[in-house]
Amino acid sequence: EKKKSDYRKFRIRDVEGINDYGSLKEVLTRRFKRAKENKKDSFTILPDLILMDGGKGQVNIALGVLQDLGVEIPVAGLVKDDFHTTRGIIYENREYNVELDSRIYKLAYKIQEEAHRFAINYHRSLRSKDMFKSELDGIKGIGPKRKKELMKKFKSIDRIKAASLEELLQVEAMDRKSAENLYRHWRK
């Protein structure tokens, strides 16, 4: 059964661009390094099996990371056909065919679907957060409350940019220093 409290998200820090293998290596390294640090958290509990949602390439990345860190966990991978349907499981460099009506296929399918659902929801939340970024973000003294009040008074970023210092000072919750920072920000 799935245990959602053990799900974890990792934001890629060190890999630039789209690099599945590099990203995979970074995430696995961070996850299992943390386990080796023996902090008292959920990362210290090692899994009985790592199941990769890919074939030999992904399995070899995982095995390499584990070997580098001195961690012994069996790793298997889900091999796909041309239609991206799981056709088999690779384990210890050997591929085992899986019948579509078998219990192992149904289990692997459930795991894949849950992993995809979790990943897609995470990426949607990241995109959603990016949609609410504003040109006001990062201006010293302008937090969520002042940002809201500025938008309420001026209705657009362009009007805020064009506002005089005196007009900015009329915004509720605005102090002189923050208004001056905002005013200077647009006039750099």
Side-chain angles (χ1 to χ4, degrees):
E1 290 299 316
K2 56 190 169 194
K3 186 177 176 191
K4 291 184 178 186
S5 62
D6 283 349
Y7 289 12
R8 294 295 177 269
K9 301 169 193 162
F10 290 85
R11 192 176 285 225
I12 302 303
R13 297 181 196 150
D14 302 328
V15 176
E16 301 224 2
I18 298 171
N19 179 345
D20 290 342
Y21 287 161
S23 299
L24 184 58
K25 185 175 182 178
E26 177 184 330
V27 167
L28 290 168
T29 300
R30 284 169 46 200
R31 194 277 184 232
F32 290 107
K33 257 187 182 176
R34 186 155 168 194
K36 288 194 69 144
E37 290 170 359
N38 275 331
K39 293 181 178 174
K40 296 294 179 211
D41 62 17
S42 62
F43 283 103
T44 57
I45 301 167
L46 296 178
D48 297 322
L49 170 73
I50 297 174
L51 183 62
M52 306 303 298
D53 189 23
K56 197 178 277 192
Q58 287 192 10
V59 168
N60 287 335
I61 293 290
L63 287 170
V65 168
L66 295 174
Q67 184 176 6
D68 289 347
L69 295 173
V71 176
E72 289 188 38
I73 300 171
V75 180
L78 302 175
V79 182
K80 311 289 190 322
D81 63 17
D82 294 337
F83 303 103
H84 204 70
T85 301
T86 299
R87 74 160 193 253
I89 294 176
I90 189 160
Y91 180 68
E92 293 185 342
N93 222 17
R94 184 168 168 210
E95 187 175 323
Y96 299 88
N97 289 332
V98 176
E99 298 298 322
L100 291 177
D101 61 349
S102 68
R103 289 187 357 207
I104 189 70
Y105 176 83
K106 290 173 184 169
L107 175 63
Y109 181 80
K110 259 175 79 172
I111 293 168
Q112 274 179 305
E113 289 300 305
E114 181 63 8
H116 289 169
R117 181 201 63 76
F118 185 70
I120 287 167
N121 285 343
Y122 175 55
H123 288 287
R124 277 186 187 144
S125 77
L126 289 178
R127 275 199 312 274
S128 172
K129 285 177 189 172
D130 286 344
M131 286 174 51
F132 293 106
K133 287 194 175 182
S134 164
E135 291 182 67
L136 297 171
D137 293 339
I139 299 173
K140 191 171 182 173
I142 307 299
K145 185 174 181 180
R146 287 191 178 130
K147 191 168 28 171
K148 184 178 175 183
E149 293 299 324
L150 283 161
M151 290 305 291
K152 190 168 22 171
K153 178 165 178 60
F154 294 103
K155 309 287 188 234
S156 76
I157 296 291
D158 287 335
R159 286 184 176 165
I160 296 169
K161 288 179 180 180
S164 68
L165 181 59
E166 291 72 31
E167 290 172 315
L168 292 173
L169 283 167
Q170 292 173 7
V171 173
E172 192 175 317
M174 184 67 74
D175 62 20
R176 177 163 284 282
K177 190 172 183 179
S178 298
E180 288 172 351
N181 286 339
L182 183 58
Y183 183 79
R184 279 195 305 269
H185 178 80
W186 305 124
R187 283 147 187 89
K188 284 181 183 174

PDB file of all heavy atoms in Angstrom, residues 3 5-6 8 10 30-46:
ATOM      1  N   LYS A   3       2.191   4.859   1.047  1.00  0.00           N
ATOM      2  CA  LYS A   3       2.287   5.586   2.309  1.00  0.00           C
ATOM      3  C   LYS A   3       2.706   7.016   1.972  1.00  0.00           C
ATOM      4  O   LYS A   3       3.895   7.334   1.889  1.00  0.00           O
ATOM      5  CB  LYS A   3       3.302   4.914   3.235  1.00  0.00           C
ATOM      6  CG  LYS A   3       3.334   5.533   4.617  1.00  0.00           C
ATOM      7  CD  LYS A   3       4.301   4.787   5.517  1.00  0.00           C
ATOM      8  CE  LYS A   3       4.404   5.468   6.861  1.00  0.00           C
ATOM      9  NZ  LYS A   3       5.512   4.917   7.646  1.00  0.00           N
ATOM     10  N   SER A   5       2.829   9.722   3.453  1.00  0.00           N
ATOM     11  CA  SER A   5       3.665  10.499   4.384  1.00  0.00           C
ATOM     12  C   SER A   5       5.155  10.281   4.117  1.00  0.00           C
ATOM     13  O   SER A   5       5.984  11.074   4.569  1.00  0.00           O
ATOM     14  CB  SER A   5       3.327  10.131   5.829  1.00  0.00           C
ATOM     15  OG  SER A   5       3.603   8.760   6.071  1.00  0.00           O
ATOM     16  N   ASP A   6       5.495   9.233   3.380  1.00  0.00           N
ATOM     17  CA  ASP A   6       6.895   8.985   3.037  1.00  0.00           C
ATOM     18  C   ASP A   6       7.277   9.529   1.663  1.00  0.00           C
ATOM     19  O   ASP A   6       8.428   9.397   1.246  1.00  0.00           O
ATOM     20  CB  ASP A   6       7.207   7.483   3.091  1.00  0.00           C
ATOM     21  CG  ASP A   6       7.379   6.986   4.514  1.00  0.00           C
ATOM     22  OD1 ASP A   6       7.470   7.819   5.433  1.00  0.00           O
ATOM     23  OD2 ASP A   6       7.412   5.759   4.711  1.00  0.00           O
ATOM     24  N   ARG A   8       8.487  12.137  -1.067  1.00  0.00           N
ATOM     25  CA  ARG A   8       9.380  13.284  -0.986  1.00  0.00           C
ATOM     26  C   ARG A   8       9.526  13.920  -2.357  1.00  0.00           C
ATOM     27  O   ARG A   8       9.491  13.252  -3.379  1.00  0.00           O
ATOM     28  CB  ARG A   8      10.779  12.876  -0.486  1.00  0.00           C
ATOM     29  CG  ARG A   8      10.796  12.376   0.952  1.00  0.00           C
ATOM     30  CD  ARG A   8      10.419  13.475   1.940  1.00  0.00           C
ATOM     31  NE  ARG A   8      10.373  13.014   3.285  1.00  0.00           N
ATOM     32  CZ  ARG A   8       9.291  12.534   3.905  1.00  0.00           C
ATOM     33  NH1 ARG A   8       8.143  12.448   3.260  1.00  0.00           N
ATOM     34  NH2 ARG A   8       9.332  12.147   5.157  1.00  0.00           N
ATOM     35  N   PHE A  10      12.022  16.590  -4.628  1.00  0.00           N
ATOM     36  CA  PHE A  10      13.358  17.170  -4.718  1.00  0.00           C
ATOM     37  C   PHE A  10      13.366  18.188  -5.846  1.00  0.00           C
ATOM     38  O   PHE A  10      12.946  17.882  -6.952  1.00  0.00           O
ATOM     39  CB  PHE A  10      14.408  16.098  -5.037  1.00  0.00           C
ATOM     40  CG  PHE A  10      14.664  15.143  -3.908  1.00  0.00           C
ATOM     41  CD1 PHE A  10      13.869  14.032  -3.724  1.00  0.00           C
ATOM     42  CD2 PHE A  10      15.725  15.351  -3.043  1.00  0.00           C
ATOM     43  CE1 PHE A  10      14.110  13.141  -2.690  1.00  0.00           C
ATOM     44  CE2 PHE A  10      15.979  14.476  -2.011  1.00  0.00           C
ATOM     45  CZ  PHE A  10      15.168  13.366  -1.828  1.00  0.00           C
ATOM     46  N   ARG A  30      21.501  12.804  -3.239  1.00  0.00           N
ATOM     47  CA  ARG A  30      21.052  13.596  -2.089  1.00  0.00           C
ATOM     48  C   ARG A  30      20.248  12.750  -1.120  1.00  0.00           C
ATOM     49  O   ARG A  30      20.417  12.843   0.104  1.00  0.00           O
ATOM     50  CB  ARG A  30      20.233  14.793  -2.580  1.00  0.00           C
ATOM     51  CG  ARG A  30      21.114  15.880  -3.165  1.00  0.00           C
ATOM     52  CD  ARG A  30      20.378  16.970  -3.902  1.00  0.00           C
ATOM     53  NE  ARG A  30      19.224  17.482  -3.214  1.00  0.00           N
ATOM     54  CZ  ARG A  30      18.240  18.151  -3.817  1.00  0.00           C
ATOM     55  NH1 ARG A  30      18.278  18.386  -5.109  1.00  0.00           N
ATOM     56  NH2 ARG A  30      17.225  18.607  -3.128  1.00  0.00           N
ATOM     57  N   ARG A  31      19.370  11.912  -1.638  1.00  0.00           N
ATOM     58  CA  ARG A  31      18.502  11.093  -0.785  1.00  0.00           C
ATOM     59  C   ARG A  31      19.321  10.115   0.062  1.00  0.00           C
ATOM     60  O   ARG A  31      19.144  10.001   1.269  1.00  0.00           O
ATOM     61  CB  ARG A  31      17.491  10.338  -1.660  1.00  0.00           C
ATOM     62  CG  ARG A  31      16.319   9.716  -0.897  1.00  0.00           C
ATOM     63  CD  ARG A  31      16.686   8.395  -0.310  1.00  0.00           C
ATOM     64  NE  ARG A  31      15.586   7.731   0.341  1.00  0.00           N
ATOM     65  CZ  ARG A  31      15.649   7.269   1.578  1.00  0.00           C
ATOM     66  NH1 ARG A  31      16.708   7.485   2.327  1.00  0.00           N
ATOM     67  NH2 ARG A  31      14.664   6.608   2.092  1.00  0.00           N
ATOM     68  N   PHE A  32      20.233   9.395  -0.581  1.00  0.00           N
ATOM     69  CA  PHE A  32      20.952   8.351   0.152  1.00  0.00           C
ATOM     70  C   PHE A  32      22.150   8.882   0.937  1.00  0.00           C
ATOM     71  O   PHE A  32      22.544   8.282   1.926  1.00  0.00           O
ATOM     72  CB  PHE A  32      21.312   7.195  -0.784  1.00  0.00           C
ATOM     73  CG  PHE A  32      20.083   6.435  -1.184  1.00  0.00           C
ATOM     74  CD1 PHE A  32      19.562   6.543  -2.457  1.00  0.00           C
ATOM     75  CD2 PHE A  32      19.395   5.669  -0.256  1.00  0.00           C
ATOM     76  CE1 PHE A  32      18.402   5.878  -2.818  1.00  0.00           C
ATOM     77  CE2 PHE A  32      18.231   4.999  -0.592  1.00  0.00           C
ATOM     78  CZ  PHE A  32      17.731   5.105  -1.881  1.00  0.00           C
ATOM     79  N   LYS A  33      22.693  10.033   0.557  1.00  0.00           N
ATOM     80  CA  LYS A  33      23.706  10.687   1.405  1.00  0.00           C
ATOM     81  C   LYS A  33      23.063  11.075   2.726  1.00  0.00           C
ATOM     82  O   LYS A  33      23.652  10.917   3.793  1.00  0.00           O
ATOM     83  CB  LYS A  33      24.255  11.942   0.718  1.00  0.00           C
ATOM     84  CG  LYS A  33      25.597  11.785   0.106  1.00  0.00           C
ATOM     85  CD  LYS A  33      26.106  13.127  -0.375  1.00  0.00           C
ATOM     86  CE  LYS A  33      27.442  12.962  -1.033  1.00  0.00           C
ATOM     87  NZ  LYS A  33      27.935  14.214  -1.601  1.00  0.00           N
ATOM     88  N   ARG A  34      21.863  11.607   2.629  1.00  0.00           N
ATOM     89  CA  ARG A  34      21.152  12.026   3.839  1.00  0.00           C
ATOM     90  C   ARG A  34      20.863  10.814   4.726  1.00  0.00           C
ATOM     91  O   ARG A  34      20.951  10.904   5.954  1.00  0.00           O
ATOM     92  CB  ARG A  34      19.859  12.742   3.456  1.00  0.00           C
ATOM     93  CG  ARG A  34      19.166  13.317   4.647  1.00  0.00           C
ATOM     94  CD  ARG A  34      18.297  14.460   4.274  1.00  0.00           C
ATOM     95  NE  ARG A  34      17.443  14.793   5.394  1.00  0.00           N
ATOM     96  CZ  ARG A  34      16.400  15.572   5.315  1.00  0.00           C
ATOM     97  NH1 ARG A  34      16.071  16.113   4.178  1.00  0.00           N
ATOM     98  NH2 ARG A  34      15.682  15.823   6.371  1.00  0.00           N
ATOM     99  N   ALA A  35      20.528   9.707   4.123  1.00  0.00           N
ATOM    100  CA  ALA A  35      20.279   8.489   4.906  1.00  0.00           C
ATOM    101  C   ALA A  35      21.544   8.075   5.656  1.00  0.00           C
ATOM    102  O   ALA A  35      21.477   7.647   6.810  1.00  0.00           O
ATOM    103  CB  ALA A  35      19.813   7.361   3.991  1.00  0.00           C
ATOM    104  N   LYS A  36      22.685   8.219   5.002  1.00  0.00           N
ATOM    105  CA  LYS A  36      23.949   7.827   5.637  1.00  0.00           C
ATOM    106  C   LYS A  36      24.364   8.766   6.762  1.00  0.00           C
ATOM    107  O   LYS A  36      25.148   8.393   7.626  1.00  0.00           O
ATOM    108  CB  LYS A  36      25.046   7.744   4.585  1.00  0.00           C
ATOM    109  CG  LYS A  36      24.874   6.527   3.680  1.00  0.00           C
ATOM    110  CD  LYS A  36      26.094   6.257   2.895  1.00  0.00           C
ATOM    111  CE  LYS A  36      27.161   5.789   3.828  1.00  0.00           C
ATOM    112  NZ  LYS A  36      28.062   4.793   3.381  1.00  0.00           N
ATOM    113  N   GLU A  37      23.853  10.010   6.754  1.00  0.00           N
ATOM    114  CA  GLU A  37      24.185  10.965   7.808  1.00  0.00           C
ATOM    115  C   GLU A  37      23.539  10.592   9.133  1.00  0.00           C
ATOM    116  O   GLU A  37      23.828  11.182  10.160  1.00  0.00           O
ATOM    117  CB  GLU A  37      23.750  12.381   7.398  1.00  0.00           C
ATOM    118  CG  GLU A  37      24.580  12.955   6.279  1.00  0.00           C
ATOM    119  CD  GLU A  37      23.999  14.249   5.717  1.00  0.00           C
ATOM    120  OE1 GLU A  37      22.937  14.700   6.190  1.00  0.00           O
ATOM    121  OE2 GLU A  37      24.612  14.799   4.798  1.00  0.00           O
ATOM    122  N   ASN A  38      22.611   9.627   9.119  1.00  0.00           N
ATOM    123  CA  ASN A  38      21.951   9.104  10.319  1.00  0.00           C
ATOM    124  C   ASN A  38      21.186  10.141  11.118  1.00  0.00           C
ATOM    125  O   ASN A  38      21.116  10.060  12.334  1.00  0.00           O
ATOM    126  CB  ASN A  38      22.962   8.402  11.235  1.00  0.00           C
ATOM    127  CG  ASN A  38      23.168   6.973  10.810  1.00  0.00           C
ATOM    128  OD1 ASN A  38      22.264   6.348  10.255  1.00  0.00           O
ATOM    129  ND2 ASN A  38      24.347   6.453  11.061  1.00  0.00           N
ATOM    130  N   LYS A  39      20.609  11.115  10.429  1.00  0.00           N
ATOM    131  CA  LYS A  39      19.722  12.039  11.130  1.00  0.00           C
ATOM    132  C   LYS A  39      18.439  11.278  11.442  1.00  0.00           C
ATOM    133  O   LYS A  39      18.047  10.377  10.730  1.00  0.00           O
ATOM    134  CB  LYS A  39      19.422  13.261  10.258  1.00  0.00           C
ATOM    135  CG  LYS A  39      20.632  14.128  10.028  1.00  0.00           C
ATOM    136  CD  LYS A  39      20.285  15.321   9.186  1.00  0.00           C
ATOM    137  CE  LYS A  39      21.511  16.204   9.012  1.00  0.00           C
ATOM    138  NZ  LYS A  39      21.282  17.287   8.096  1.00  0.00           N
ATOM    139  N   LYS A  40      17.802  11.648  12.493  1.00  0.00           N
ATOM    140  CA  LYS A  40      16.588  10.934  12.912  1.00  0.00           C
ATOM    141  C   LYS A  40      15.378  11.473  12.139  1.00  0.00           C
ATOM    142  O   LYS A  40      14.586  12.247  12.642  1.00  0.00           O
ATOM    143  CB  LYS A  40      16.375  11.074  14.425  1.00  0.00           C
ATOM    144  CG  LYS A  40      17.473  10.435  15.230  1.00  0.00           C
ATOM    145  CD  LYS A  40      17.470   8.928  15.053  1.00  0.00           C
ATOM    146  CE  LYS A  40      18.586   8.292  15.845  1.00  0.00           C
ATOM    147  NZ  LYS A  40      19.093   7.097  15.240  1.00  0.00           N
ATOM    148  N   ASP A  41      15.284  11.087  10.875  1.00  0.00           N
ATOM    149  CA  ASP A  41      14.121  11.458  10.070  1.00  0.00           C
ATOM    150  C   ASP A  41      13.782  10.291   9.141  1.00  0.00           C
ATOM    151  O   ASP A  41      14.420   9.241   9.191  1.00  0.00           O
ATOM    152  CB  ASP A  41      14.352  12.760   9.298  1.00  0.00           C
ATOM    153  CG  ASP A  41      15.505  12.685   8.300  1.00  0.00           C
ATOM    154  OD1 ASP A  41      15.939  11.575   7.952  1.00  0.00           O
ATOM    155  OD2 ASP A  41      15.961  13.747   7.855  1.00  0.00           O
ATOM    156  N   SER A  42      12.809  10.484   8.289  1.00  0.00           N
ATOM    157  CA  SER A  42      12.328   9.383   7.446  1.00  0.00           C
ATOM    158  C   SER A  42      13.367   8.931   6.422  1.00  0.00           C
ATOM    159  O   SER A  42      13.256   7.847   5.869  1.00  0.00           O
ATOM    160  CB  SER A  42      11.034   9.793   6.734  1.00  0.00           C
ATOM    161  OG  SER A  42      11.275  10.897   5.897  1.00  0.00           O
ATOM    162  N   PHE A  43      14.392   9.732   6.170  1.00  0.00           N
ATOM    163  CA  PHE A  43      15.410   9.337   5.205  1.00  0.00           C
ATOM    164  C   PHE A  43      16.332   8.245   5.736  1.00  0.00           C
ATOM    165  O   PHE A  43      17.037   7.609   4.975  1.00  0.00           O
ATOM    166  CB  PHE A  43      16.238  10.546   4.768  1.00  0.00           C
ATOM    167  CG  PHE A  43      15.523  11.424   3.785  1.00  0.00           C
ATOM    168  CD1 PHE A  43      14.963  12.611   4.187  1.00  0.00           C
ATOM    169  CD2 PHE A  43      15.404  11.056   2.456  1.00  0.00           C
ATOM    170  CE1 PHE A  43      14.306  13.424   3.291  1.00  0.00           C
ATOM    171  CE2 PHE A  43      14.745  11.854   1.548  1.00  0.00           C
ATOM    172  CZ  PHE A  43      14.191  13.042   1.970  1.00  0.00           C
ATOM    173  N   THR A  44      16.373   8.042   7.053  1.00  0.00           N
ATOM    174  CA  THR A  44      17.255   7.002   7.585  1.00  0.00           C
ATOM    175  C   THR A  44      16.707   5.607   7.325  1.00  0.00           C
ATOM    176  O   THR A  44      17.444   4.640   7.365  1.00  0.00           O
ATOM    177  CB  THR A  44      17.490   7.187   9.102  1.00  0.00           C
ATOM    178  OG1 THR A  44      16.236   7.187   9.767  1.00  0.00           O
ATOM    179  CG2 THR A  44      18.235   8.470   9.389  1.00  0.00           C
ATOM    180  N   ILE A  45      15.411   5.520   7.052  1.00  0.00           N
ATOM    181  CA  ILE A  45      14.813   4.220   6.740  1.00  0.00           C
ATOM    182  C   ILE A  45      15.051   3.937   5.262  1.00  0.00           C
ATOM    183  O   ILE A  45      14.591   4.673   4.392  1.00  0.00           O
ATOM    184  CB  ILE A  45      13.296   4.217   7.045  1.00  0.00           C
ATOM    185  CG1 ILE A  45      13.061   4.531   8.513  1.00  0.00           C
ATOM    186  CG2 ILE A  45      12.668   2.897   6.633  1.00  0.00           C
ATOM    187  CD1 ILE A  45      11.628   4.855   8.848  1.00  0.00           C
ATOM    188  N   LEU A  46      15.803   2.887   4.990  1.00  0.00           N
ATOM    189  CA  LEU A  46      16.120   2.537   3.603  1.00  0.00           C
ATOM    190  C   LEU A  46      15.042   1.629   3.024  1.00  0.00           C
ATOM    191  O   LEU A  46      14.505   0.772   3.725  1.00  0.00           O
ATOM    192  CB  LEU A  46      17.478   1.851   3.529  1.00  0.00           C
ATOM    193  CG  LEU A  46      18.678   2.703   3.933  1.00  0.00           C
ATOM    194  CD1 LEU A  46      19.957   1.881   3.868  1.00  0.00           C
ATOM    195  CD2 LEU A  46      18.802   3.940   3.060  1.00  0.00           C
TER     196      LEU A  46
END
